[in-house]
Amino acid sequence: MCACHAHVPLSSPKGEYCTKVKASAPPQGFAHGSDAEYIYHGSTNNMMFVNICQFGTPENAQSALTAWKGTEKDKLRALKKSVGDESVLVVNPGLSEDSVHAFSRSGTVNIRVKIDGAGGDATGAQDMLTATLKRLQQVQDGKRATVTTTEVAAEADKK
């Protein structure tokens, strides 16, 4: 895969990464969450961000997901295979030339994967989104989180 450098901050009580634009107040119903960022190919032009946010109710999670996705309906794309209760890709949002955002909601949990330097290729974002949700489900089931993006990619390539 890639030689990656990861920066993984501790869970933030603010949840600023759970808003569309970083805000000083968390979104309605925010309970807790965490975020991570990865640099690949040794460049800050090639970065991946993973945000996980849990809310008090599925309605709060759905509302926050709607805000995350933004208003550029022409940039929305369906995932090859749905992840969680609802999921969507946003390709090249805003002024970005080569970024992909993948979003999923499963119950009260929202996951966002943002990849800069993807050139519009959503494959990596989809794989990371799927692996992240599967790992969360393993932990919720009292199991060790073992799913990897490599396994998810291999499974997707079979289909």
Side-chain angles (χ1 to χ4, degrees), residues 1 123 127 134 148-159:
M1 277 274 185
T123 309
D127 293 347
K134 286 183 177 186
T148 67
T149 54
T150 303
E151 292 167 346
V152 168
E155 185 178 309
D157 288 342
K158 289 179 187 176
K159 297 177 182 177

Side-chain angles (χ1 to χ4, degrees), residues 9 16 27 42 46 49 61 78 83 98 108 117 137 148:
E16 65 278 358
N46 298 294
F49 305 87
V83 178
D98 65 351
T108 61
Q137 289 168 338
T148 67

Side-chain angles (χ1 to χ4, degrees), residues 33-83:
S34 191
D35 67 331
E37 58 189 53
Y38 304 88
I39 299 171
Y40 58 97
H41 299 303
S43 168
T44 56
N45 292 325
N46 298 294
M47 297 185 72
M48 180 182 341
F49 305 87
V50 180
N51 308 113
I52 303 171
C53 306
Q54 184 162 22
F55 295 85
T57 67
E59 293 78 22
N60 289 144
Q62 209 289 321
S63 177
L65 183 68
T66 298
W68 249 0
K69 292 186 297 188
T71 58
E72 297 177 292
K73 302 292 185 207
D74 61 318
K75 308 276 177 129
L76 300 179
R77 307 283 183 271
L79 275 76
K80 291 178 185 173
K81 183 176 178 187
S82 185
V83 178

Side-chain angles (χ1 to χ4, degrees), residues 102-119:
F103 300 96
S104 178
R105 181 185 63 81
S106 182
T108 61
V109 175
N110 288 349
I111 302 169
R112 172 177 56 188
V113 174
K114 175 187 171 202
I115 300 181
D116 290 335

